[in-house]
């Protein structure tokens, strides 16, 4: 997709790419034998930048290792997530953290239906949007360390995600003053939009893979709305796939590339907001979580933790080819388009 073809309307193109998959049928389900690059963040800065740039403009996804976030911190948040989802009933979870769409925070159960499928994602999630007031009366009390563990991880992933943005900024957005992208993101201020999402994909104890209805996904194909997403996965819990990059030299548009869990690794992808900010130099790629392939996968839960680096509402997204728009307007447009098509 050339940058000139990217619409100035933040509510149209991304959703249309998702909706197009609904019309493609079985062709969209071909899996590729390719893999996403693994980038060692302990290597020299120039090497890391070049590797990230190649991955973001070729495959569209990459996994980083030796990134500075300790595995103990990751494991602690996974334990908090598993305790919350596994020990409370659906009613109790909704009561502890009622979802508010205007806040983009709280607990949801099979409530998201992306335009690509028209069916509800087979998952439950708890969203923590780091803005003043969004989590008032929404912090779960089970387990007792839920809030402290989550807030600690938010600080760590926010810092890392801003570092990734800063490393990409010079090539992606040469029209911006250095540091503009990182400075557009704050935690717990009055108009922050950064979000941490704990996700649980329940087991399908009553089904075998051949009995799963057509058209259902643990997470249907979609793009992310922000600048950069960092995703933590647990080894042995497969399923994340990204679409082969349509601009890649040898890419086939109907292929899907596995993004497997890597011990100590974080999967990273570009979002819609950064694609606009960079005038399409970086591509917000479609991705999905497939349904289980075998009986063993059907019988086990899958957990993931996603951090969405989304610019503050008042931040101005200024590119070289599109009209300026605030990050708040951009985000509301994507959200409105998503729910309208759902």
């Amino acid at each position: 997709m050339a940058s000139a073809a990217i619409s100035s309307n933040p509510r149209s193109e991304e959703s249309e790419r998702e909706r197009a998959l609904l019309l493609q049928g079985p062709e969209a389900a071909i899996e590729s034998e390719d893999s996403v690059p693994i980038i060692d963040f302990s290597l020299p800065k120039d090497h890391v930048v070049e590797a990230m740039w190649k991955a973001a403009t070729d495959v569209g996804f990459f996994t980083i290792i030796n990134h500075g976030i300790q595995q103990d911190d990751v494991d602690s948040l996974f334990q908090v997530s598993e305790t919350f989802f596994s020990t409370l009933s659906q009613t109790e979870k909704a009561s502890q953290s009622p979802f508010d769409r205007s806040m983009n925070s709280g607990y949801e159960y099979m409530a998201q239906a992306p335009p690509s499928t028209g069916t509800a994602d087979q998952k439950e999630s708890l969203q923590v949007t780091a803005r003043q007031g969004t989590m008032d009366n929404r912090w779960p009390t089970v387990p007792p360390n839920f809030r402290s563990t989550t807030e600690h991880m938010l600080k760590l992933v926010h810092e890392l995600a801003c570092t990734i943005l800063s490393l990409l900024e010079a090539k992606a957005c040469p029209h911006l003053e250095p540091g503009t992208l990182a400075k557009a993101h704050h935690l717990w201020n009055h108009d922050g939009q950064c979000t941490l999402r704990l996700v649980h994909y329940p087991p399908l104890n009553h089904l075998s893979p051949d009995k799963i209805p057509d058209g259902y996904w643990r997470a249907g194909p979609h793009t992310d709305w922000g600048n950069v997403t960092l995703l933590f996965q647990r080894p042995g819990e497969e399923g994340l796939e990204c679409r082969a990059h349509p601009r890649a030299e040898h890419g086939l548009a109907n292929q899907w590339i596995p993004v497997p869990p890597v011990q100590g690794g974080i999967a990273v992808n570009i979002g819609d907001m950064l694609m606009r900010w960079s005038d399409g130099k970086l591509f917000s790629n479609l991705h999905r979580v497939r349904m289980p392939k075998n009986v063993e996968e059907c019988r086990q839960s899958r957990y993931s933790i996603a951090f969405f680096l989304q610019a503050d509402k008042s931040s101005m997204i200024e590119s070289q080819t599109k009209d300026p728009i605030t990050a708040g307007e951009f985000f509301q447009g994507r959200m409105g388009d998503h729910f309208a098509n759902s």
Side-chain angles (χ1 to χ4, degrees):
M1 181 186 303
S3 60
I6 297 175
S7 169
S8 62
N9 180 357
R11 297 185 60 180
S12 60
E13 189 207 4
E14 295 87 353
S15 179
E16 286 306 309
R17 281 197 287 139
E18 295 176 19
R19 288 176 60 81
L21 295 184
L22 190 61
L23 306 177
Q24 291 180 2
E27 283 188 346
I30 301 174
E31 294 185 11
S32 170
E33 295 182 356
D34 293 336
S35 60
V36 301
I38 298 175
I39 299 172
D40 188 343
F41 247 51
S42 68
L43 295 176
K45 176 181 173 181
D46 290 349
H47 179 95
V48 172
V49 171
E50 187 60 33
M52 284 200 303
W53 185 261
K54 184 177 188 306
T57 56
D58 186 9
V59 181
F61 264 69
F62 52 93
T63 296
I64 59 174
I65 59 173
N66 296 322
H67 41 69
I69 295 181
Q70 299 301 309
Q71 189 61 42
D72 285 349
D73 290 318
V74 178
D75 292 342
S76 293
L77 188 55
F78 268 119
Q79 186 58 56
V80 162
S81 176
E82 187 168 355
T83 299
F84 174 78
F85 286 119
S86 65
T87 62
L88 298 175
S89 69
Q90 183 183 339
T91 300
E92 290 170 329
K93 285 176 276 196
S95 176
Q96 290 226 347
S97 189
F99 184 76
D100 186 325
R101 186 180 297 179
S102 67
M103 300 285 191
N104 194 36
S105 290
Y107 171 77
E108 291 186 289
Y109 179 80
M110 298 192 184
Q112 299 180 6
S116 61
T117 66
T119 58
D121 288 348
Q122 302 301 291
K123 68 184 182 186
E124 57 180 342
S125 63
L126 194 149
Q127 290 211 153
V128 177
T129 294
R131 183 169 64 249
Q132 287 179 6
T134 57
M135 291 303 292
D136 290 352
N137 301 314
R138 286 187 183 82
W139 283 112
T141 58
V142 177
N145 63 332
F146 189 113
R147 179 173 182 174
S148 61
T149 304
T150 301
E151 288 182 330
H152 176 65
M153 180 58 79
L154 267 166
K155 293 178 184 178
L156 298 177
V157 292
H158 174 264
E159 181 179 355
L160 177 59
C162 285
T163 297
I164 292 171
L165 267 192
S166 295
L167 291 173
L168 292 171
E169 184 178 51
K171 295 183 80 169
C173 305
H175 58 288
L176 297 180
E177 289 291 326
T180 297
L181 294 181
K183 292 175 183 176
H185 305 80
H186 296 88
L187 298 179
W188 304 114
N189 68 350
H190 68 284
D191 66 348
Q193 298 191 112
C194 293
T195 299
L196 187 74
R197 179 187 293 164
L198 309 181
V199 187
H200 173 225
Y201 304 91
L204 304 175
N205 293 319
H206 59 294
L207 291 176
S208 57
D210 60 323
K211 300 297 183 183
I212 296 174
D214 292 338
Y216 280 85
W217 299 87
R218 281 185 153 173
H222 63 282
T223 60
D224 292 341
W225 304 344
N227 282 304
V228 171
T229 301
L230 275 59
L231 183 77
F232 298 85
Q233 307 180 86
R234 300 199 301 190
E237 298 178 3
E238 313 281 338
L240 177 64
E241 299 172 332
C242 69
R243 203 175 196 204
H245 198 314
R247 295 190 312 202
E249 183 178 353
H250 303 294
L252 298 176
N254 64 340
Q255 286 193 337
W256 292 84
I257 301 170
V259 186
V262 173
Q263 183 64 41
I266 306 172
V268 180
N269 65 279
I270 306 302
D272 301 338
M273 194 176 285
L274 187 54
M275 184 169 75
R276 182 187 177 95
W277 227 325
S278 69
D279 292 288
K281 297 184 189 71
L282 299 179
F283 187 71
S284 176
N285 208 358
L286 288 159
H287 50 286
R288 67 189 186 186
V289 179
R290 60 165 174 76
M291 294 295 272
K293 282 184 172 181
N294 53 53
V295 172
E296 181 181 358
E297 285 189 351
C298 282
R299 300 298 177 262
Q300 70 178 22
S301 289
R302 181 181 188 272
Y303 289 89
S304 65
I305 300 166
F307 175 71
F308 304 96
L309 188 71
Q310 298 168 159
D312 300 343
K313 289 184 177 183
S314 58
S315 296
M316 189 64 67
I317 302 174
E318 295 181 298
S319 66
Q320 295 178 300
T321 60
K322 305 171 190 65
D323 294 334
I325 185 174
T326 67
E329 292 168 335
F330 184 93
F331 191 82
Q332 286 302 313
R334 287 296 286 124
M335 182 177 287
D337 195 33
H338 176 84
F339 282 109
N341 283 302
S342 296

